Amino acid sequence: MPDPTYGARHIAIIMDGNGRWAKRKHLPRALGHKKGVEAVRNIVRVAGKMGIEAMTLYAFSSENWNRPDEEISDLMGLLRQYIQSDIEEFVENGIRLKVIGNYKALDDDIVGMIDNAIERTAANDKMTLAVALNYGAQDELLRATQEIAAAVKNGRLDPEEIETGHISAALDTADLPPLDLLIRTSGELRLSNFLLWQAAYSELYFTDVLWPDFDQKELEKALKSFGDRERRFGGR
Ligand code: FPP
């Protein structure tokens, strides 16, 4: 059987289209997000079985605070439920949970749940599930820049010696494999402030499928497309 991952070690997904999915079915937006969580649960299982090393999911961006209070509260409620209901499965299936973004700004109880789940799954090594929460790539790069500037200020690093590796190492994704494939659902052709540095040489895959409908078959299609491409990393 061919490798179902086609050699992709790290996949990231901009999970878009929950609202449109609900609208098409004349359902409340909240139900679209609920269905979106079911799609998350399924795709995490599928990716783990395929042998993907890391999956990064854009669950809540630093710009999502601009949504109505009720929707933010629905999304936070779903996040609480997801962590509570799936933590045992992560422990059993060797999934390490990681969060990228400034998640400490979320409600205290969610921060506690996340820290507990991170601690309980820290030694797992089958797949890393990195959930982006209150994440924005520009904010991540800003925090990395501050860290590097502090190292320069206290004499640990010479400005002339700064390399791209220092920047990668200061990002939230420092311990993840290079990003191979970035998927965005629902037909939008934007990166929306997601993994801007990490996507430098990633393959991009856009599909019209709305996130709640993104299943194993759709992930297989994306990976097949990845497998068919010739990656040159700037060479020829
Ligand atoms: C986009 O749909 C989706 C989001 C706002 C983030 C994705 C969130 C989830 C899948 C649920 C929470 C996740 C976890 C891990 C518990 P949209 O509302 O922008 O859709 P639209 O563009 O069609 O309106």
Side-chain angles (χ1 to χ4, degrees), residues 15-21 29 33-34 36-37 40 57-60 64 67 71 75 78-80 82 131 133 186 188 210-211:
M15 310 181 289
D16 198 7
N18 295 344
R20 273 161 288 168
W21 183 91
R29 277 183 79 77
H33 291 314
K34 189 159 180 264
V37 177
V40 167
L57 301 178
Y58 208 2
F60 195 85
N64 284 153
R67 295 195 176 204
E71 184 170 358
L75 284 166
L78 286 169
L79 181 62
R80 281 187 184 90
Y82 178 64
V131 182
L133 291 172
S186 93
E188 310 291 346
L210 304 175
W211 174 249

Side-chain angles (χ1 to χ4, degrees), residues 180-192:
D180 294 306
L181 174 63
L182 175 58
I183 298 172
R184 181 168 192 151
T185 60
S186 93
E188 310 291 346
L189 307 177
R190 285 190 294 276
L191 292 183
S192 296

